[in-house]
Every structure is written in structure tokens, then in C-alpha cells.
Amino acid sequence: MRRTILALSLLLTATPAFACTEEELQAKAIQLADLVKGITTQDPSKAQAWRKKQFDTDRVAERTTDFNEICAAYDKAIAEAEAEK
């Protein structure tokens, strides 16, 4: 029981440190755009699919104001794009 309470306390204390900021969000959007540009320049046949992924990620920002949710969507798309490089 003590361990559970300690773990929850640490989690709640640490959570604000993991919050995504507006500046981080903007940086992630730019990073994704640059990655998509690089991928589509190397292989134009992938342009449509990657632009759709980029658009879908951008749409998350239109659906919610939760920066953490938006950043998570960008992180996922960035990881996929980096794996594609």
C-alpha cells in the first residue's frame, strides 16, 4: 500500500514536467513537415500517403485543445516518418 501511494505521489508530482507546451507543439509540427518534405522528395510516390498522415495529425489539433494529446499525435507521426527515412 505504501508503495502504491508513493508511486502515485511521484506520478502526480512529475506530471507537470511532462506537459507539452505550445512552443514544443510548434517545433513538432515543423519537424514533421520537414520530415514529410524529405520523404516525399526522395520518393514522390509516397507523397499522397504522407501528406494525408500529416493532415490527419494536424486535424487532431483542430479537435482538441489538450496540448499533450496533440503532441502525442505529432510524436507518433514523427516516429513513423523517422522510421521511413
Side-chain angles (χ1 to χ4, degrees):
M1 182 71 165
R2 275 185 160 169
R3 287 183 184 167
T4 303
I5 292 171
L6 179 61
L8 288 173
S9 297
L10 290 173
L11 179 63
L12 292 174
T13 304
T15 300
F18 298 115
C20 182
T21 65
E22 187 174 352
E23 292 79 21
E24 290 172 315
L25 181 57
Q26 290 173 349
K28 290 175 188 291
I30 292 168
Q31 181 182 6
L32 179 59
D34 289 343
L35 287 167
V36 169
K37 182 179 177 182
I39 290 169
T40 59
T41 298
Q42 288 179 339
D43 188 352
S45 68
K46 296 179 180 180
Q48 184 176 4
W50 274 102
R51 293 229 163 75
K52 182 182 180 332
K53 285 182 186 185
Q54 185 179 11
F55 177 77
D56 291 345
T57 305
D58 291 340
R59 298 272 304 181
V60 172
E62 294 174 7
R63 288 193 325 260
T64 183
T65 58
D66 180 2
F67 283 172
N68 291 326
E69 183 179 344
I70 300 166
C71 279
Y74 275 104
D75 287 340
K76 181 180 179 218
I78 288 168
E80 290 175 8
E82 287 177 340
E84 183 80 23
K85 280 186 2 180

